[in-house]
Amino acid sequence: MDTNLRYQSIEAFRSHVAALHDSKLANQRRVLVCCGTGCLAGGAAQVAEAMAQQLAAIEPEKSAQLQLVMKKTGCHGFCEKGPLVVLLPQGTFYKGVKAKDVPEIIKESILEDRVVERLLYVESSTGERVEKYGDIEFYAKQTRVAMRNIGLIDPASLDDYLLRGGYVALAKALSSMTPEQVMTEVSDAKLRGRGGGGFDAGRKWRSCKNSPADERFVICNGDEGDPGAFMDRSIMEGDPHGVLEGMILGGYALECKQGYIYVRQEYPLAVENLQLAIDEARARGLLGDNILGTGFSFDIELSRGGGAFVCGESSALMRSVEGKVGEPRAKYVHATDKGLWDKPTVLNNVETWVCVPRIIEQGAQWFASIGTERSKGTKAFALTGKVKNTGLVEVEMGTTLRQIIFGAGGGMLNDGPRGKFKAVQTGGPSGGCLPEDMLDLAVDFDTLTKAGSMMGSGGMIVMDHSTCMVDVARYFLSFLVDESCGKCVPCREGLFQMMHIVSRICEGQGTMEDLNKIEDLATAVELGSLCALGKSGPNPVRSTLRYFRQEYEAHIRDKKCPAGVCKALISYTIDHDKCDGCGACLRACSSLAIAGTIKKGDTFQIDQLQCDRCGACETVCKRGAISAA
């Protein structure tokens, strides 16, 4: 197909899409190599290069018969098992692929139509090898709307996106819907913002549209600063045209001409793929002046952020786009009235925008049929921590925490008492930690908030009994203190004082009065802070105090850390009945705190004054003779 083609009309666009579906491109066998950030770190670039070279070496007659093409895709979601290779249409899924495995894959699976058993995924629940992509529990438990394309298309190919129904929603809106009808469809779908606040998107759009102004803007928030969260990153990297189409539809509904994607500089692949998509969409007449010959003009520019966490907050983000210091404005100033350059502005995150084309294409009723009464559709999560299947999952709203962690997540990573489930944190550093008896809680905006946590952008960190909840609160408070812009006193000083108190508790210097001080400070910070960073900042310490108060009390009263994490409150001892004198601990100790002779039958001693409590001795002891107390 002519990559320089420019669609002069909607009819020309539809004709080209029909021709694509009738062409050999639609019927090719495909080798999909995941080149998302996680798989690239594991050597996916070398796998893709080896695959391209060796496919090119197949004799021309055989190659023509196979009708085979290799594509470098975005993230498949199953990051822990990468690099990943998927063969379509048969659906064969290979994990942990190295460049040296490529010849065997080509010989066995491509030329001979056999399966390379050793590269198949082994289901943790059954211990059986699974061949088909869709049969793996991690994928089978998901419902993909926002992530429907990533892992299945080449993000650098507009034609790939078109073959998946791309820009069909835009053509539908421009040919048969008014801007008001597009806005009504989004409103009727009850789409809520996926960036953390869960605000009704249709209501936000209408408020902006009703604000009198000669100019309006739409912005995509691709900042995503939560530690461990990478849903938006993966969508921008793997399905950039999906983001663009959603924003163009938003621009049409709001009758505005300019949009911006704010993406952090630390996402270089997202920046690259988005810019490629913008350039190609402009060249084809899908973006810029006179889109599809309809007279509607709308353009998009990238704005790169410097990595400040506070710039994920809407008003701080807009100041950053303007070239100013990223600081929040008072909340009585609404962005839909005075946003970017004091003009009415709609800001939604990546996952929200990418849902819009599906709503327009399939209809509001379709989207509203998924999820719960007040939380419609699906939600993507970055599932990390002490769980077997880490990666990206997208599930229907209302799915329980248990179904996510023990379904798609495959359950807890480690066996034994310390490996049992203890808590899950949702919502990033401003989210809350929920205990085991809340595993059957439905995951939706309102239910999580009532429980003392939040949906946030979609981070989900699973913890076992080797985790100290006091230390978790200290860690996230420390992160928020570092990321606070310092503009308002409640956030700047309140979070710092809370961190200082929790740090003292971790060191065994806390008092019971400190717990009341923390709760008072949390209320003051929540009520007095300008933006959501401060208002939700107390959540980690509040939720851990609410559900794991006994751990705080153990640190204060007993001077003990039940999880054996807080160094000031633990000491390592050797059980002489278990020790066989192998000397592994002696060799692992960098502080020279272990004395003894490597001799069978002898045991070792730990000098408590010399020990720096790094835990290396416990890690290397195969007999379990060393433990923290």
Side-chain angles (χ1 to χ4, degrees), residues 592-613:
L592 305 178
I594 298 179
T597 304
I598 300 177
K599 183 179 179 182
K600 192 170 183 178
D602 287 353
T603 59
F604 294 85
Q605 304 291 333
I606 299 177
D607 184 341
Q608 297 298 331
L609 295 177
Q610 190 77 7
C611 176
D612 66 1
R613 298 168 178 81

Side-chain angles (χ1 to χ4, degrees), residues 331-353:
K331 286 291 99 175
Y332 62 80
V333 181
H334 296 144
T336 52
D337 296 322
K338 289 188 175 183
L340 190 64
W341 290 296
D342 281 338
K343 303 288 187 178
T345 304
V346 163
L347 182 145
N348 287 120
N349 83 321
V350 171
E351 190 180 345
T352 310
W353 284 119

Side-chain angles (χ1 to χ4, degrees), residues 523-588:
T523 301
V525 171
E526 179 187 24
L527 293 176
S529 294
L530 274 175
C531 79
L533 188 151
K535 290 184 179 298
S536 60
N539 280 346
V541 68
R542 263 186 171 164
S543 61
T544 51
L545 260 177
R546 178 178 175 181
Y547 297 118
F548 302 95
R549 194 179 187 91
Q550 71 280 5
E551 287 201 33
Y552 283 86
E553 293 174 348
H555 282 69
I556 294 169
R557 289 176 178 167
D558 306 329
K559 308 300 179 187
K560 297 287 185 184
C561 175
V565 171
C566 299
K567 288 186 177 182
L569 301 181
I570 62 174
S571 59
Y572 287 92
T573 58
I574 297 176
D575 185 336
H576 298 297
D577 293 332
K578 294 181 179 179
C579 178
D580 65 355
C582 72
C585 58
L586 183 68
R587 292 187 291 272

Side-chain angles (χ1 to χ4, degrees), residues 161-223:
Y161 182 67
L162 296 178
L163 284 168
R164 292 278 298 173
Y167 291 107
V168 167
L170 178 62
K172 175 183 177 181
L174 294 181
S175 64
S176 62
M177 300 175 72
T178 64
E180 176 61 29
Q181 286 174 323
V182 172
M183 187 172 297
T184 299
E185 202 73 14
V186 171
S187 182
D188 289 348
K190 296 185 172 63
L191 173 66
R192 295 176 66 171
R194 267 54 175 164
F199 195 80
D200 185 285
R203 182 180 169 191
K204 180 188 287 188
W205 290 20
R206 192 169 297 282
S207 178
C208 179
K209 183 75 173 288
N210 291 338
S211 183
D214 59 351
E215 192 175 19
R216 297 180 182 84
F217 299 102
V218 296
I219 300 179
C220 174
N221 182 354
D223 189 60

Side-chain angles (χ1 to χ4, degrees), residues 344-408:
T345 304
V346 163
L347 182 145
N348 287 120
N349 83 321
V350 171
E351 190 180 345
T352 310
W353 284 119
V354 85
C355 287
V356 173
R358 289 288 278 172
I359 291 171
I360 301 304
E361 181 186 353
Q362 299 290 330
Q365 187 175 357
W366 166 80
F367 189 84
S369 69
I370 306 170
T372 65
E373 179 62 30
R374 288 179 47 81
S375 297
K376 301 298 185 182
T378 60
K379 182 71 188 77
F381 292 94
L383 185 61
T384 59
K386 299 300 180 70
V387 65
K388 289 177 181 175
N389 299 336
T390 59
L392 292 178
V393 298
E394 185 177 359
V395 296
E396 291 190 26
M397 292 281 196
T399 303
T400 66
L401 289 167
R402 187 185 302 277
Q403 288 170 326
I404 296 172
I405 296 167
F406 291 90

Side-chain angles (χ1 to χ4, degrees), residues 227 429 461 470-481 499 502:
I461 303 173
V470 186
D471 183 63
V472 166
R474 180 204 58 77
Y475 168 79
F476 284 114
L477 283 170
S478 175
F479 175 85
L480 293 169
V481 166
M499 182 193 71
V502 174

